[in-house]
Amino acid sequence: MDFRIERGAVARLVIDRVAKRNALTRAMWEALPELLAELAGDDEVKVLLVTGEGPSFSAGADIRELISGDDPADPMAELRAFNLRAQAALREFPKPTIAVVRGHCIGGGLEIAVNCDFRFAARDASFGVTPARIGVVYPPAAIKVLLDLVGPATTKYLLFSGELLTADEAELKGLVDRVADDPMATAEAFAETLVSRSQLTIRSAKESVNALLAGENADVAAVRRYRETIASGELAEGIDAFTQKRSPEFVWHPR
């Protein structure tokens, strides 16, 4: 499967195909939604770190598979379907996700990273999408994720040129949230902060952000979550802890 899962409150999903610089195969794209569904259903998991084994996050798709499909008129059809389904599953994962990037984060690797909630990068990291180098027509659903994250100018720069951005350049353009000497340690510290917060608040906020980005009405779900924070005692615990100057003991978990 070429993914490895490490469980815990701060779980890890590791792309583990070091010999190929963690290039993503069709089978890996196909497997990803099921792996994410398994982690989403694990109440112990509060935050998911997504990273690559070895010196690279991922060098992208396995090029040999791009035109290996059965339909000569559309040999990328199956791969594209698996790819877009995997991106959507990561984007819609209900818990916070942090991509921890070292080395190359290119093509399919960047698709994984930008569909996470946050991106923490090493100083040697580099970022790019390279369809213009090989004549691939990039799907609109994947373009929209970039557009929402970095705006039209940077999206066009990346897609038109196929050039790579350094970690510092990516941070300036909003593609990366934090550059650090040790991005894993930095991400783990931030993840522990998230674990200490109200998981109901975080869940509701992520639902609302995703709905608003999709042009959907976020109010109905937010009102339901507001009622849930009252009924579950989550809000009362937060207020009591604040007034008593102690750390809150939030107990909410999805039903």
Side-chain angles (χ1 to χ4, degrees):
M1 187 172 8
D2 297 313
F3 288 107
R4 188 177 76 252
I5 292 175
E6 299 173 9
R7 296 183 181 274
V10 180
R12 294 192 194 189
L13 176 65
V14 183
I15 309 167
D16 191 1
R17 197 171 178 235
V18 179
K20 298 294 183 179
R21 291 194 302 165
N22 296 328
L24 296 145
T25 65
R26 178 169 47 192
M28 292 169 72
W29 288 119
E30 183 180 11
L32 192 53
E34 185 176 342
L35 290 175
L36 291 170
E38 180 184 335
L39 288 164
D42 186 340
D43 283 348
E44 183 186 12
V45 175
K46 301 297 189 295
V47 180
L48 179 62
L49 306 183
V50 182
T51 194
E53 186 65 37
S56 288
F57 183 80
S58 172
D62 192 321
I63 297 296
R64 295 171 301 176
E65 293 190 343
L66 287 183
I67 53 173
S68 63
D70 296 331
D71 183 356
D74 188 1
M76 292 181 63
E78 187 178 51
L79 175 61
R80 182 170 58 250
F82 289 147
N83 168 273
L84 291 175
R85 198 174 300 138
Q87 289 190 60
L90 186 54
R91 188 165 60 249
E92 295 161 9
F93 189 75
K95 305 169 187 184
T97 53
I98 306 171
V100 184
V101 179
R102 294 182 301 274
H104 290 101
C105 181
I106 301 170
L110 187 69
E111 289 173 345
I112 287 181
V114 298
N115 281 287
C116 290
D117 296 314
F118 307 100
R119 285 146 297 282
F120 286 19
R123 300 193 185 279
D124 70 344
S126 57
F127 300 83
V129 280
T130 56
R133 293 188 180 191
I134 55 176
V136 169
V137 173
Y138 211 59
I143 291 175
K144 186 179 185 303
V145 176
L146 272 176
L147 197 59
D148 288 338
L149 185 62
V150 298
T154 298
T155 297
K156 290 175 183 177
Y157 177 86
L158 289 167
L159 289 170
F160 292 6
S161 72
E163 296 296 320
L164 303 186
L165 300 178
T166 67
D168 288 337
E169 290 169 338
E171 185 179 32
L172 283 172
K173 293 180 180 296
L175 189 61
V176 164
D177 298 288
R178 196 172 300 179
V179 177
D181 292 326
D182 187 342
M184 182 58 74
T186 304
E188 287 174 336
F190 181 60
E192 291 295 345
T193 296
L194 299 183
V195 168
S196 73
R197 305 306 192 216
S198 166
Q199 300 306 302
L200 175 53
T201 297
I202 290 172
R203 180 70 57 93
S204 178
K206 184 162 184 177
E207 289 170 349
S208 291
V209 169
N210 284 350
L212 291 167
L213 286 172
E216 299 169 355
N217 186 337
D219 290 341
V220 173
V223 168
R224 179 172 58 84
R225 291 299 191 191
Y226 168 72
R227 290 173 178 159
E228 193 173 358
T229 200
I230 302 295
S232 67
E234 191 88 340
L235 179 59
E237 167 59 18
I239 291 172
D240 284 348
F242 181 81
T243 56
Q244 296 168 18
K245 295 182 172 55
R246 61 174 175 82
S247 297
E249 296 181 8
F250 293 118
V251 297
W252 177 88
H253 59 83
R255 290 181 291 226

